Amino acid sequence: MADSFPFPYNYPDMRFATWNVNGIRAVLGKGFEESFRALDADIFALNETKWSNDAEDSFPVHFPGYSLAFTNSKTRKGYSGVAVFYKRQPLSIHYGLEEGKYDEEGRVITLDYDDFYFVAAYVPNSGEGLKRLPFRLEYERDLSAYLQDLNAKKPVVYCGDLNVAHNPIDLKNPKANEGNAGYTAEERNALSGLLAKGFIDAYRYLYPEKVEYSWWSYRFHAREHNAGWRIDYFLISDRLKDRLKETTIHTTITGSDHCPVSMEIDLDA
């Protein structure tokens, strides 16, 4: 079906990055700006910015050569939030899912380009005692429908903190965490279901057996002992897989309890 779409790309490799900064103000002064420049992404998504001011020029950091789109929680200050720095101007920018759903929590930004959609998200955490699991699963259903609709039109690059370790290889202690937020059967099945509908996990596609993590608890010296979880992803339309060049989890970059993840695709192949 979607495989029949042409690829009118006329530009070379693109580099994408995503990073849960766990508060943009908190990460500033911890090497964030240097790391941002070193990653040199064409499009760079930040998750969990916790930025409350929605004034257009209020965001506390800007970079020459980049434009910025950001969204935040309208219902709770200092909560959630997504920002996207981009070099190439999109045709349009959309906030939330269909009809802006979930934008009240500042969860999703979509950049629409001639050749692809870029979707940056901070997926809801199911929370202590799984109190938000029903909300999370509703979000997953709506997200899947949204991404499938986009994918029927042109390829999709979807990324962010998806708040789920998909398989046992994706976290240090899978047995001890069974049923905990981020490793419930329901959350893992939701990701499996999305992948079955025309998407691939870029990192796992390239590295089916590699063990690396993108998040470590601040407790118990988890990062020092590499007791982490891989919960930050790039999911891409299946028809882009032969153009995928690299996906890197930048475990040595600090400043947050997450590290950045980058991806390179040759869109001029």
Side-chain angles (χ1 to χ4, degrees):
M1 99 186 181
D3 288 340
S4 63
F5 279 82
F7 288 84
Y9 303 110
N10 56 6
Y11 52 93
D13 299 0
M14 286 196 73
R15 183 177 176 87
F16 302 90
T18 182
W19 191 0
N20 181 318
V21 293
N22 195 10
I24 186 62
R25 285 172 293 191
V27 81
L28 292 177
K30 297 180 180 178
F32 168 74
E33 289 139 300
E34 292 82 358
S35 297
F36 182 100
R37 294 187 186 96
L39 287 168
D40 191 28
D42 295 286
I43 304 178
F44 201 133
L46 306 180
N47 323 131
E48 200 175 5
T49 60
K50 300 181 180 179
W51 186 248
S52 298
N53 192 332
D54 59 3
E56 189 171 338
D57 60 350
S58 72
F59 207 73
V61 63
H62 296 268
F63 295 95
Y66 287 90
S67 299
L68 170 66
F70 66 95
T71 184
N72 53 41
S73 173
K74 281 60 170 183
T75 58
R76 181 176 166 188
K77 287 188 175 183
Y79 177 72
S80 189
V82 175
V84 180
F85 288 91
Y86 54 93
K87 293 180 179 178
R88 180 185 173 197
Q89 291 293 323
L91 301 173
S92 63
I93 299 173
H94 177 74
Y95 299 91
L97 300 182
E98 293 291 347
E99 300 179 350
K101 192 171 184 181
Y102 303 104
D103 192 40
E104 72 278 359
E105 290 203 358
R107 293 285 177 189
V108 185
I109 299 177
T110 301
L111 276 58
D112 179 3
Y113 288 97
D114 286 324
D115 317 298
F116 66 97
Y117 292 102
F118 177 83
V119 183
Y122 175 47
V123 173
N125 191 306
S126 294
E128 186 176 350
L130 304 179
K131 291 178 182 177
R132 296 202 91 196
L133 181 58
F135 175 80
R136 161 72 179 265
L137 296 178
E138 178 187 1
Y139 170 91
E140 295 284 5
R141 289 188 292 270
D142 291 341
L143 172 78
S144 179
Y146 178 72
L147 292 180
Q148 288 178 72
D149 181 60
L150 296 183
N151 196 32
K153 300 169 186 173
K154 48 192 166 186
V156 175
V157 173
Y158 169 57
C159 70
D161 176 0
L162 305 193
N163 260 317
V164 59
H166 189 208
N167 290 307
I169 194 174
D170 295 315
L171 72 167
K172 180 69 172 181
N173 298 303
K175 291 224 174 268
N177 283 287
E178 282 183 7
N180 289 340
Y183 199 61
T184 65
E186 294 90 339
E187 292 163 317
R188 297 167 63 199
N189 289 340
L191 180 51
S192 295
L194 178 58
L195 293 173
K197 292 171 181 172
F199 295 90
I200 64 167
D201 173 351
Y203 178 85
R204 197 51 74 205
Y205 177 76
L206 291 178
Y207 302 110
E209 304 297 332
K210 197 170 183 178
V211 176
E212 288 186 300
Y213 308 122
S214 64
W215 172 77
W216 303 262
S217 169
Y218 281 132
R219 304 173 65 193
F220 309 121
H221 303 284
R223 191 159 188 167
E224 179 183 336
H225 299 298
N226 198 30
W229 299 45
R230 187 176 74 94
I231 60 176
D232 302 89
Y233 295 78
F234 278 93
L235 305 186
I236 61 174
S237 296
D238 180 78
R239 61 194 188 275
L240 291 177
K241 65 185 178 185
D242 292 336
R243 297 166 178 268
L244 180 61
K245 295 184 68 177
E246 185 58 278
T247 307
T248 305
I249 301 176
H250 298 271
T251 57
T252 61
I253 294 181
T254 59
S256 167
D257 52 347
H258 295 247
C259 71
V261 179
S262 66
M263 180 184 72
E264 296 175 34
I265 297 184
D266 184 359
L267 295 177
D268 197 30

